[in-house]
Amino acid sequence: MSDTKPIWIRDPLAVLADGAERGIVVTDGRIVELVPAGATPATADVAVFDASAHVVLPGLINTHHHFYQTLTRALPAAMDRELFPWLKALYPVWARLTPEALELGVTVAMSELLLSGCTTTTDHHYVFPAGLEDAVDIEVGVASRLGVRVLLTRGSMNLSQRDGGLPPDSVVQDEDTILADSARVVARHHQRGADAMVQIALAPCSPFSVTTSLMRATADLADKLDVRLHTHLAETEDENKFCQQMYGCRPLDYLEQCGWLNARTWLAHGIFFNADEMKRLGKAKTTISHCACSNQLLASGCCPVCEMEEAGVGIGVDGSASNDGSNLMQEVRAAFLLQRARYGVAKVSHKDALRWATKGSAACVGRPELGEIAVGKAADLALFRLDELRFSGHGDPLAALVLCGAHRADRVMVGGRWAVIDGAIPGLDVADLIRRHSSAARLMRMG
């Protein structure tokens, strides 16, 4: 039995749910009641949180990120480059990543996400220079301290420049090391069930940084351990050309040959699929993480979201070396604007963009209990105030979040617990974090 009272989040200004005009009742980490207009809770002895100044959303879910990249934001050597030359400029800097720097980079990324209304985030960590073998363990520790729900991926690269890949030798590992550590982190950290706070997925970086042997072995291991799979795919035309030259086929064909085209897999970017490939993705239920800001900054192209709704589409902020931010609410607006420009007014609304970042993203991470305000779902909620100058004069509160550019949540609840209160993370010294993080970033740049 819980020793805390149920919480009635009462009379929200607006809520992204039907039949919850008078609010939501939460107990033991779950939504137990939606209170319709004119009603009061059937649940007895509730504590009340006055939400009359708040718009309430399901907690936003981030489906693609590289936390460590907060240490290389707006790096001059990598600016104004497309993906492959951008990577080549950054790999030598990332090779200098230390455990201390990673912890700071992860803390900045997770904190920024939380403050933007994100309650669950993935991360794709694939850089393992000597001394950073415990990278995933470090991330788990930060997530636990901040109270954010995570699906952390044990990424990998084993195809270095000497083998015809892009990364330098110093950041890759051999296949046996990768597979052994993948099994280790799953055994140590992966939680099962609807209340899981930490889960692990396996994530070779991309077709141009791992061998076919590792792709296939990772798929086999994920099947054996019953965990999800993630990688970058169809992000640029250069990638298509690389796959044709190296493997004699397009990226999706290669993925299928490696045993990846199934409902266990979600893919980052998904820009350059043809019509037949999009149908195959839908049939396989292989989902896509749409990273609007990153794809615009690197001029990679635009993910054809509406054509891939059958497969399922979520939202990802991507790494801070390409997006230069970890703000998921801003990413929702970017995705809305980009896809509205592509498809027009009749096909894309602000509610579509919010759905991609909630129910759509929940499908990407394999967590149907997340991403929706409904009875039985997890009590992961993001509450936004509309008292900033940018919202003055708004009519529709839900639309205002997207159209007027909400960027900071006032309250964030994860599993029934407040992780953000009054726009701040309890116990986090932001000024000190900025000072230490900035110092670590300078050291990495200097070498």
Side-chain angles (χ1 to χ4, degrees), residues 332-349:
V332 170
R333 185 171 191 262
F336 164 72
L337 293 173
L338 186 64
Q339 299 301 333
R340 169 65 69 88
R342 182 184 181 111
Y343 292 106
V345 170
K347 276 204 166 185
V348 175
S349 74

Side-chain angles (χ1 to χ4, degrees), residues 160-274:
S160 68
Q161 288 171 348
R162 68 183 174 193
D163 304 311
L166 285 179
D169 297 344
S170 58
V171 295
V172 304
Q173 296 174 305
D174 65 74
E175 181 175 317
D176 289 344
T177 299
I178 290 164
L179 295 172
D181 194 58
S182 296
R184 179 190 71 83
V185 295
V186 170
R188 182 170 182 181
H189 298 298
H190 186 74
Q191 299 170 359
R192 308 280 174 181
D195 295 323
M197 289 295 291
V198 178
Q199 292 194 324
I200 304 294
L202 306 184
C205 181
S206 64
F208 44 84
S209 56
V210 300
T211 61
T212 302
S213 174
L214 181 58
M215 284 290 287
R216 288 175 174 158
T218 302
D220 290 342
L221 184 61
D223 186 59
K224 177 184 173 185
L225 300 178
D226 190 23
V227 295
R228 293 185 74 73
L229 285 165
H230 184 52
T231 193
H232 300 91
L233 207 76
E235 183 176 0
T236 67
E237 287 285 19
D238 285 346
E239 181 191 320
N240 283 351
K241 292 172 188 172
F242 179 91
C243 275
Q244 290 279 13
Q245 290 168 0
M246 195 148 185
Y247 305 119
C249 62
R250 287 173 58 82
L252 192 67
D253 296 324
Y254 177 67
L255 200 77
E256 186 168 24
Q257 291 168 19
C258 293
W260 278 62
L261 191 58
N262 54 57
R264 193 182 295 285
T265 300
W266 88 102
L267 304 170
H269 304 296
I271 296 169
F272 292 101
F273 292 124
N274 60 36

Side-chain angles (χ1 to χ4, degrees), residues 53-349:
H54 293 88
V55 181
V56 184
L57 301 180
L60 305 179
I61 299 169
N62 177 39
T63 58
H64 187 60
H65 207 329
H66 309 291
F67 291 160
Y68 71 90
Q69 291 182 12
T70 62
L71 293 152
T72 49
R73 287 170 161 161
L75 194 71
M79 288 170 64
D80 303 322
R81 295 176 179 232
E82 293 183 354
L83 180 63
F84 278 21
W86 175 86
L87 282 168
K88 287 178 180 176
L90 284 160
Y91 277 136
V93 185
W94 296 338
R96 296 193 280 268
L97 195 60
T98 65
E100 296 76 19
L102 177 64
E103 185 169 3
L104 290 164
V106 169
T107 304
V108 165
M110 287 190 189
S111 299
E112 191 179 358
L113 285 164
L114 261 179
L115 292 168
S116 73
C118 174
T119 52
T120 298
T121 181
T122 63
D123 185 52
H124 189 183
H125 187 89
Y126 54 81
V127 177
F128 289 86
L132 201 63
E133 291 78 13
D134 293 336
V136 176
D137 308 84
I138 290 168
E139 293 189 316
V140 171
V142 175
S144 178
R145 288 195 294 276
L146 293 174
V148 64
R149 207 184 293 271
V150 291
L151 172 57
L152 303 171
T153 74
R154 203 302 179 181
S156 56
M157 296 191 295
N158 73 331
L159 192 67
S160 68
Q161 288 171 348
R162 68 183 174 193
D163 304 311
L166 285 179
D169 297 344
S170 58
V171 295
V172 304
Q173 296 174 305
D174 65 74
E175 181 175 317
D176 289 344
T177 299
I178 290 164
L179 295 172
D181 194 58
S182 296
R184 179 190 71 83
V185 295
V186 170
R188 182 170 182 181
H189 298 298
H190 186 74
Q191 299 170 359
R192 308 280 174 181
D195 295 323
M197 289 295 291
V198 178
Q199 292 194 324
I200 304 294
L202 306 184
C205 181
S206 64
F208 44 84
S209 56
V210 300
T211 61
T212 302
S213 174
L214 181 58
M215 284 290 287
R216 288 175 174 158
T218 302
D220 290 342
L221 184 61
D223 186 59
K224 177 184 173 185
L225 300 178
D226 190 23
V227 295
R228 293 185 74 73
L229 285 165
H230 184 52
T231 193
H232 300 91
L233 207 76
E235 183 176 0
T236 67
E237 287 285 19
D238 285 346
E239 181 191 320
N240 283 351
K241 292 172 188 172
F242 179 91
C243 275
Q244 290 279 13
Q245 290 168 0
M246 195 148 185
Y247 305 119
C249 62
R250 287 173 58 82
L252 192 67
D253 296 324
Y254 177 67
L255 200 77
E256 186 168 24
Q257 291 168 19
C258 293
W260 278 62
L261 191 58
N262 54 57
R264 193 182 295 285
T265 300
W266 88 102
L267 304 170
H269 304 296
I271 296 169
F272 292 101
F273 292 124
N274 60 36
D276 174 68
E277 289 168 341
M278 287 187 270
K279 288 178 184 174
R280 288 162 60 194
L281 286 163
K283 188 176 180 181
K285 296 301 180 188
T286 298
T287 50
I288 305 296
S289 174
H290 174 37
C291 305
C293 288
S294 168
N295 294 157
Q296 289 177 89
L297 193 144
L298 290 172
S300 302
C302 178
C303 177
V305 166
C306 290
E307 283 99 320
M308 290 197 286
E309 287 274 21
E310 185 185 349
V313 175
I315 297 289
V317 301
D318 203 2
S320 290
S322 57
N323 182 330
D324 294 307
S326 304
N327 190 304
L328 193 50
M329 194 65 223
Q330 288 185 339
E331 196 73 30
V332 170
R333 185 171 191 262
F336 164 72
L337 293 173
L338 186 64
Q339 299 301 333
R340 169 65 69 88
R342 182 184 181 111
Y343 292 106
V345 170
K347 276 204 166 185
V348 175
S349 74

